[in-house]
Amino acid sequence: MKIAFSYPPIINSDGQKAMVSQNRNVQFFMKPTYLLPIIQGQAATWLRDMGYNVFWDDGNSQLKTFDCWYLDLIEASPDVIIFESTTPVMKFYWNIVNKIKSDLPHCTVIMTGYHSMRKPQETLRRSYADVVLRSNHIDFVLQKLIPYIDENSQWRENCPIEGLVIRIDENNFHDTGNFKQIETLDLSPDVDRDLVQWKNYAYENGNFLQTPGTYATSVVRDCMFGKCSFCRYNGPDLTFSMRSVQKSLDEYQKLIEDYGAREIFDDSGVWYRGAEAREFAQGIIDRGLNKKDCYFGFNTRFGYLEEDTIALLAKANFRFVLVGLEAADEETLNRLNKGYGPKDSEQNLKLYTKYGLFPHLTIMVGYFWQTREQLNTTIDTVKRFMFEGLARTLQVTICTPIDFTPYHQECIDQKMLLTNDYDDFDMSKLIVKTPIPHNDYYDAIRNIYGIAFHPKFIFKQIQFLFKFKKRDWQFLFTYGIRAIRRVRQHIFNLTKQQKNKVIK
Amino acid sequence: MLHKVLEIRNLTATAYVLRIERKKVSFKAGQCFNLGLKNSGVNREYSIYSGENDSCLEFLVKEIKEGIVSPSLRQVTLGEEINLHGPYGSFVIDPIKIKQVKFYFICTGTGIAPFHSFIRSHPNLDYQIINGIRSLNERYDYDEYHPLKITTCISREKWAGFHGRLTAYLPEIPIDTKSIFYICGNQKMIQEAYVILRKKKVSGNHIFTEAFF
Ligand SMILES: Cc1cc2nc3c(=O)[nH]c(=O)nc-3n(C[C@H](O)[C@H](O)[C@H](O)COP(=O)(O)OP(=O)(O)OC[C@H]3O[C@@H](n4cnc5c(N)ncnc54)[C@H](O)[C@@H]3O)c2cc1C
Ligand code: SF4
C-alpha cells in the first residue's frame, strides 16, 4: 500500500505561499517558513516501520510549483493520501480533494487538522474525502486505521477505531465516536529525519538562531495548560500527554551527533515545566550536549518557569524561548483565559534575559472587545520590553477566530463575525466587529514592528551582542536579515490589506 | 486576583487543603484555577476541591518536595494573599445528566479533588468513586463520602479492602456501560483505565479525563 503525506503548495493571487503545517494559523508569505509537521512525520515513520510504502510529499518545502506537485502526485498514484488543513484553506482543500478523486478514483483521501476535526460532516459533504480524523493523534489513529483499511474490504461500514468519520456513500457517514484516549507518547516513534528530508526545513525558519536547525519530536501533545480561549489546544476532548525526558534526550543526542543539527526547537504548545524541565536541562548537560554548539528552544507560557529552572536551561544552552504576550491588560488576559496577570510577563522576562535566554514575543491585536486604551497598553508595554532589552524579537498578528476554538465560538454566538467565507480567515485582515476602526489595529501592528528600526532598540541589540557568550557577528547579521525580512512581509500584508479589502 | 489564605489544613506529611477567601468567584464544580505566590510570577493549575455553594475556595494539594509551587503554597502564613486566576476548563458535569445516569469517578491521589467538588455541589448525584492510593493515610477527607460509594484500592499497604492498583481492580468489577466515567490523576493511570473501560464496551463518548501530570 502506497501512502502519501501531502502538503500542496497553496499560492494566492499575490504569489504568496500559505504556511499550513504544524497546526499553525495559516498565513500567506512570499518567503514562508517551512515548518516540519511533527505528528505527521511520526505517523509517516510509524507506517513506514510497519512496512507500508510511505512517501513524504511536502510540495512547499520541496519548492515545487502547484502544477509540478500535482503531476508528481498523480504519477505516484498513492492508495492513500493524508492532508492537513485549517479554516482559511478548507475551500482549497475541498477542491483539490475532488480533483484528486476524479483523477485517482480509487485513492482514499484522509483529512486531518483542527477545522475538519471539529466539523467532520462539513468536509464530507463539501468534498469527496473518504475519512476525517477527529483527533490530533494522527499517528496513533493512522497506525490502526491503515492496516484496517488494508485488511478489510468492508472497512467503511465496520471500522471500530475511534475518532473517525468515514464516508459510506454520498450521504451516509459512519461516526466512530470521539477520540479521547490519552496515549503513551513514547509509543510513537521519533520522526525519521531522512524520510521527511529534514534539510528542506532546516534553514528558512525564523525560530532558528543558527542553522541547520530542526524541530524535535514534540514532548507534549496538545497543551498541559490548554485553557486559552483562542487556542486550538482547548476543548473537552483534549487532554495533554507527555513524552519521557530520557526518550527526548536520546533524540536530541542523535540529531546533534548524527545529523549535525545546530539548533533544535520543540514546537509543543507548551514545553516541559518544573521537574521535567530541570531533568531535561540536566540531561543535556550530563550528556555534554550543551558543548556541541547547538542551541535549544521551545514555546512556553508566562507563569511556568521559575528562576532555578531558567538558570539551568541557560546553562544547558537553551536560547530561543517563544512566549505569548497576547495582551498587557488584565481584562483581555482574563477574557482569553491566559492564567496570568499583566505583571507576571515582566517578571518572567526579566528572569529569562537575566540568564541570557532570547525571549521572542508573540503578540496579538484585534479582539472584538479591544478598546483603544487596551490596544495602547499592549503597544506601550511591548515597546518598553523591547527598549529595556526584556525581549529580543517579536511577531504581531491579528487575532483571527479559527477552527471553532472557544474564541471562534464566542464570536459566532455574539454575532461578532463579519464574514463566513473561510478564505477570509487567513489572518490578513480583521474579520470581527471591533469598538475602534480596524485601521487602528493595523497601525498598531505597524507601530510595533517599527520598534525593530528604532535607534534605542538597535542600540540595545548591539549592547546585548557584547554580552552574548558567542560573539558571532555573522550569526547576528544573518538572523537580523531574516528578522527584518519577516517584518517586511508582515507589513506588506497589512498595506495590501489596507489598500484592498477592508471588510466593513 | 489576590485572595487571602484562611486555612492550611494538613492531611498527611505531603498533602494539605488550602482554603482561601472566595470573594465573588463563581465556578463550575470540577474546573481548575491557577494558583501562585503573590509577586512570584509562577503558578500551577489546581482543581477546585470545594463545592459551588461553599463560602470559601478549597484546593487539595499534594506537596511535591522537589517542586516549586506546591511546597511554597504550604508555607504561606494565614492572612497572606496569593494569586488566583480562573476558573478554567470543561471537566464538569452536564446538569441534565445528573438525574439520568450513574457517574463513576476514577482517580489516583489528589485526583479525587474535582470529584469532591462534584459531590459537594450536586448532593443527589448517583456516584461511585474508585480511588487508587498508596497507603491508608491518603484517604483524604474520607468521611465526606458515603461509605458504600467509595472503593479504595491501596497499592503499598495491606489492609481489609482491595490491595493493589486501581487498574487491577477495575477489570474485575461489573460496569454499567450506560454510566458516565470521569478519570482524573496521572496520565499513565488515565491511559490504562481508558483502555480497560473501552474493553468493557464503554463508549469513548462516555469517558472524560483530566490529567494532572
Ligand atoms: C488541570 C490540572 C489540575 C491539577 N490539579 C491539581 C490538584 O488539584 N492538586 C494537586 O496536588 N495537583 C494538581 N495539579 C498538578 C499541579 O498543577 C502541579 O503540577 C503540582 O502541584 C506540582 O507543581 P510544583 O511547582 O510544586 O512542582 P514542579 O516542579 O512543577 O513539578 C514536580 C513534579 O511533580 C509531578 N506532579 C505534579 N502533580 C503531581 C501530583 N498531584 N502528584 C504527584 N506528582 C505530581 C510533576 O509531573 C513533576 O514531575 C493539576 C495539574 C493540572 C494540569
Ligand atoms: S498556553 Fe499556549 S498552547 Fe497552551 S492553551 Fe494557551 S495559547 Fe494554547
Side-chain angles (χ1 to χ4, degrees), chain B residues 11 13 20 73 93 113 115 120 123 125 129 144 176 206:
Chain B
L11 300 176
I20 62 174
L73 288 173
I93 283 191
F115 304 144
R120 283 192 72 80
L125 209 59
I129 297 180
E144 295 195 25
D176 173 8
H206 284 201

Side-chain angles (χ1 to χ4, degrees), chain B residues 80-143:
Chain B
E80 208 179 311
E81 289 174 318
I82 60 164
N83 237 318
L84 171 135
H85 290 277
Y88 308 116
S90 39
F91 195 65
V92 295
I93 283 191
D94 176 355
I96 299 168
K97 295 268 161 31
I98 290 177
K99 287 196 184 129
Q100 299 171 346
V101 290
K102 178 168 180 162
F103 289 83
Y104 278 89
F105 299 139
I106 300 165
C107 52
T108 44
T110 49
I112 200 166
F115 304 144
H116 185 266
S117 174
F118 285 160
I119 289 157
R120 283 192 72 80
S121 307
H122 308 291
N124 298 324
L125 209 59
D126 181 9
Y127 72 89
Q128 184 64 43
I129 297 180
I130 302 174
N131 183 24
I133 49 179
R134 281 173 302 185
S135 51
L136 258 173
N137 70 346
E138 290 179 354
R139 295 197 299 180
Y140 310 130
D141 289 331
Y142 192 69
D143 301 342

Side-chain angles (χ1 to χ4, degrees), chain B residues 15-193:
Chain B
Y16 59 98
V17 173
L18 176 74
R19 173 182 285 197
I20 62 174
E21 57 182 350
R22 175 148 184 181
K23 295 189 168 170
K24 292 213 161 67
V25 173
S26 71
F27 63 89
K28 286 190 195 142
Q31 286 191 298
C32 74
F33 290 82
N34 274 50
L35 301 180
L37 290 192
K38 187 177 164 183
N39 297 331
S40 67
V42 183
N43 62 37
R44 296 283 184 262
E45 303 80 14
Y46 293 97
S47 296
I48 188 73
Y49 188 58
S50 46
E52 288 173 5
N53 303 316
D54 289 342
S55 58
C56 305
L57 299 176
E58 283 192 338
F59 300 91
L60 171 65
V61 183
K62 160 113 176 164
E63 179 179 350
I64 310 293
K65 283 276 179 274
E66 69 285 7
I68 307 296
V69 178
S70 60
S72 66
L73 288 173
R74 200 175 201 176
Q75 302 303 324
V76 174
T77 48
L78 300 190
E80 208 179 311
E81 289 174 318
I82 60 164
N83 237 318
L84 171 135
H85 290 277
Y88 308 116
S90 39
F91 195 65
V92 295
I93 283 191
D94 176 355
I96 299 168
K97 295 268 161 31
I98 290 177
K99 287 196 184 129
Q100 299 171 346
V101 290
K102 178 168 180 162
F103 289 83
Y104 278 89
F105 299 139
I106 300 165
C107 52
T108 44
T110 49
I112 200 166
F115 304 144
H116 185 266
S117 174
F118 285 160
I119 289 157
R120 283 192 72 80
S121 307
H122 308 291
N124 298 324
L125 209 59
D126 181 9
Y127 72 89
Q128 184 64 43
I129 297 180
I130 302 174
N131 183 24
I133 49 179
R134 281 173 302 185
S135 51
L136 258 173
N137 70 346
E138 290 179 354
R139 295 197 299 180
Y140 310 130
D141 289 331
Y142 192 69
D143 301 342
E144 295 195 25
Y145 307 95
H146 189 292
L148 296 177
K149 292 186 178 184
I150 183 162
T151 308
T152 311
C153 308
I154 300 186
S155 59
R156 296 209 187 148
E157 219 173 79
K158 283 231 159 101
W159 72 306
F162 186 83
H163 173 61
R165 285 178 190 275
L166 171 166
T167 43
Y169 174 77
L170 203 53
E172 309 292 316
I173 55 167
I175 266 171
D176 173 8
T177 54
K178 287 193 201 74
S179 306
I180 295 183
F181 298 79
Y182 283 73
I183 319 177
C184 183
N186 68 69
Q187 294 168 63
K188 189 166 184 294
M189 178 281 289
I190 295 176
Q191 198 245 330
E192 287 172 16

Side-chain angles (χ1 to χ4, degrees), chain A residues 226-260:
Chain A
K227 310 290 188 290
C228 305
S229 66
F230 58 87
C231 180
R232 293 178 172 90
Y233 301 128
N234 179 340
D237 48 346
L238 304 179
T239 309
F240 78 93
S241 40
M242 204 187 271
R243 250 177 152 225
S244 70
V245 170
Q246 292 309 319
K247 189 166 163 79
S248 284
L249 282 169
D250 291 345
E251 188 192 33
Y252 274 53
Q253 185 153 6
K254 194 166 152 194
L255 289 171
I256 295 169
E257 292 176 354
D258 299 354
Y259 289 90

Side-chain angles (χ1 to χ4, degrees), chain A residues 162 182 239 273 304 339 347, chain B residues 39 45 88 187 191 198 209:
Chain A
E162 284 183 329
I182 299 186
T239 309
R273 65 178 193 193
Y304 265 7
Q347 216 158 353
Chain B
N39 297 331
E45 303 80 14
Y88 308 116
Q187 294 168 63
Q191 198 245 330
R198 291 290 295 127
T209 58

Side-chain angles (χ1 to χ4, degrees), chain A residues 383 386-389 391-392 449-466 473 476 480 484:
Chain A
K383 274 193 176 162
M386 298 305 279
F387 291 157
E388 288 177 8
R392 303 248 68 90
Y449 276 130
I451 297 170
F453 307 102
H454 196 288
K456 244 185 184 172
F457 175 71
I458 294 170
F459 174 71
K460 210 66 217 177
Q461 291 287 71
I462 293 172
Q463 207 182 20
F464 161 75
L465 186 67
F466 280 102
W473 287 91
L476 201 78
I484 288 169

